[in-house]
Amino acid sequence: MAKQILVTGGLGFIGSHTVVELQNAGFDVVVIDDLSNTTLKVLDQIAEITGKKPSFEQIDLRIKQDVKNFFDKYQVDGIIHFAAFKAVGESMHKPLDYYENNLGALVYLLQEMRDRKLDNFIFSSSCTVYGQADELPITEKAPVKKAESVYGNTKQIGEEIIQDASKAHGINAIALRYFNPVGAHPSTKIGELPLGVPQNLIPFITQTAAGIREELSVFGDDYPTPDGTAVRDYIHVVDLAKAHIAALNRLIEKKNKESYEFFNVGTGKGSSVLEVINAFETANDVKLKYKIVDRRAGDITAAYADTTIANKELAWKTELGLQEALKSAWEWQLKQK
Ligand code: WQD
């Protein structure tokens, strides 16, 4: 009998790619999404890729009774929790919306796990919790620093809530601290669908190359880095999705060493903004219009992962590089109307 996994936010960018890999790995999937930042079309696209349509419930996880009703209807063997607001800039203007959605919903899910003795919880966290790390590459031993954004704070507090619930109620849980997710599924049927003006680098690049945006602004070239632009660890979203399957199997097979664990999920390689621009132009044989402007408030100089622990404990490593991510992002962009 196939195990059934709940994926909240399963029609989002990382969620949808993870649903595909879960189905490829033989799991049954039920998706919860409130459709606030995606469309139901993504469900059909997932079915086109895997040949199986996941079960779907449109639920706002901030409504406690609706969360209860869901678990009256579905038996699940694990939960992968993506559903959250994730715009760093927006979070500074709407802190209470972010705390309510990103933490309230998390508490309601964990209360159901406690009351129904459910197990195996995977949490979408972020390298943002490290702020500007003192040492690079960043290991899991790096201290969590005071968050620079409300969004980052919701990830830090979220991890603490999970850790406490795990200890008190025996829920086995893993937090995955993502570096920068980029790219799209090779089928170009699913990808990043930023609504409005993109905040993140890669969608802004692809929309500029597609003529939707006039010009890319490079936020600062006076950082203490080789070419002066900020450095990040850009991980292909398909590799990132597979890390969730590896983490889930670790819990299902009871290979976890603690009831709560966390892992840095990146490629281990840092790329500057200018390097990404050059790689995009080379990979796709396009010219990108950009200008250097002032730094963006809250940005850090550099972040890239030490992947030793994740590689070993999850028996997982990235297989796709930046070129493939940038090619797939461009192919996905070209398919958008
Ligand atoms: C990357 C680099 C910018 C846009 C954030 C969150 C993180 C995760 C990913 C959700 C930076 C530069 C960007 C642009 C630019 N979010 N840039 N011009 O800020 O590293 O991480 O998004 O899961 O949690 O913190 O990603 O893509 O916004 O920026 O020069 O138009 O590109 O300054 O150096 P970031 P990003």
Side-chain angles (χ1 to χ4, degrees):
M1 175 78 167
K3 292 191 181 304
Q4 179 156 254
I5 306 301
L6 164 60
V7 181
T8 72
L11 298 190
F13 175 37
I14 307 166
S16 57
H17 287 81
T18 302
V19 170
V20 164
E21 297 309 328
L22 280 169
Q23 292 189 319
N24 289 346
F27 289 99
D28 287 339
V29 178
V30 48
V31 169
I32 286 178
D33 206 297
D34 67 359
L35 301 181
S36 65
N37 194 25
T38 183
T39 69
L40 207 46
K41 197 164 136 307
V42 175
L43 200 61
D44 299 327
Q45 303 301 85
I46 291 170
E48 271 193 38
I49 297 170
T50 64
K52 282 180 288 183
K53 194 167 195 174
S55 308
F56 174 73
E57 299 288 343
Q58 182 176 352
I59 292 174
D60 180 340
L61 293 168
R62 292 169 295 189
I63 302 168
K64 187 169 184 165
Q65 189 54 52
D66 289 355
V67 178
K68 274 186 182 311
N69 295 344
F70 172 85
F71 286 101
D72 287 341
K73 185 176 173 186
Y74 290 91
Q75 280 305 312
V76 295
D77 302 293
I79 298 178
I80 303 182
H81 181 45
F82 293 102
F85 294 151
K86 62 159 196 164
V88 174
E90 181 189 55
S91 74
M92 304 308 280
H93 310 299
K94 300 182 175 176
L96 297 178
D97 294 359
Y98 271 67
Y99 288 122
E100 181 191 37
N101 190 46
N102 292 11
L103 300 178
L106 172 64
V107 167
Y108 293 158
L109 282 172
L110 292 169
Q111 285 174 329
E112 293 309 310
M113 292 190 81
R114 174 198 63 196
D115 298 346
R116 301 166 191 264
K117 305 243 176 305
L118 300 178
D119 204 0
N120 309 322
F121 188 77
I122 308 289
F123 180 62
S124 162
S125 189
S126 170
C127 63
T128 307
V129 303
Y130 297 114
Q132 177 55 68
D134 301 325
E135 285 177 38
L136 292 170
I138 304 174
T139 72
E140 286 82 355
K141 289 192 169 33
V144 169
K145 289 190 175 174
K146 172 133 184 51
E148 314 231 345
S149 71
V150 167
Y151 163 76
N153 205 27
T154 67
K155 290 302 176 185
Q156 287 182 5
I157 300 170
E159 287 198 18
E160 288 171 14
I161 290 172
I162 296 162
Q163 185 166 15
D164 291 342
S166 169
K167 282 212 180 90
H169 306 299
I171 299 167
N172 290 293
I174 290 177
L176 296 180
R177 293 175 174 174
Y178 309 158
F179 281 68
N180 288 55
V182 292
H185 192 266
S187 67
T188 66
K189 291 180 185 302
I190 53 175
E192 195 165 4
L193 262 177
L195 302 181
V197 179
Q199 298 304 305
N200 294 127
L201 178 64
I202 304 309
F204 208 106
I205 284 180
T206 59
Q207 290 191 13
T208 302
I212 298 168
R213 304 291 160 202
E214 175 59 31
E215 186 177 35
L216 169 74
S217 296
V218 173
F219 296 143
D221 69 346
D222 58 349
Y223 284 99
T225 61
D227 64 18
T229 62
V231 171
R232 296 289 184 275
D233 182 333
Y234 296 96
I235 177 170
H236 196 298
V237 64
V238 171
D239 279 332
L240 178 58
K242 290 178 177 174
H244 291 78
I245 315 311
L248 180 66
N249 283 329
R250 179 178 172 87
L251 294 183
I252 289 174
E253 292 159 20
K254 304 200 182 313
K255 288 183 178 161
N256 52 315
K257 293 172 180 158
E258 313 278 338
S259 66
Y260 172 70
E261 297 177 314
F262 52 87
F263 299 103
N264 288 353
V265 180
T267 67
K269 185 180 174 315
S271 302
S272 73
V273 177
L274 287 178
E275 284 172 335
V276 171
I277 291 170
N278 295 334
F280 180 82
E281 291 181 325
T282 310
N284 300 305
D285 193 19
V286 295
K287 200 85 193 89
L288 202 69
K289 202 158 172 280
Y290 68 88
K291 64 183 173 191
I292 308 290
V293 300
D294 290 341
R295 294 183 180 190
R296 178 173 65 177
D299 275 355
I300 58 169
T301 299
Y304 50 95
D306 180 314
T307 61
T308 313
I309 304 284
N311 295 158
K312 176 170 173 285
E313 297 302 329
L314 298 180
W316 161 91
K317 65 177 178 50
T318 51
E319 292 158 11
L320 301 163
L322 183 63
Q323 291 281 342
E324 171 54 33
L326 296 171
K327 273 174 74 73
S328 61
W330 181 230
E331 283 156 16
W332 164 250
Q333 179 67 60
L334 291 175
K335 282 200 61 178
Q336 302 317 302
K337 300 267 174 307

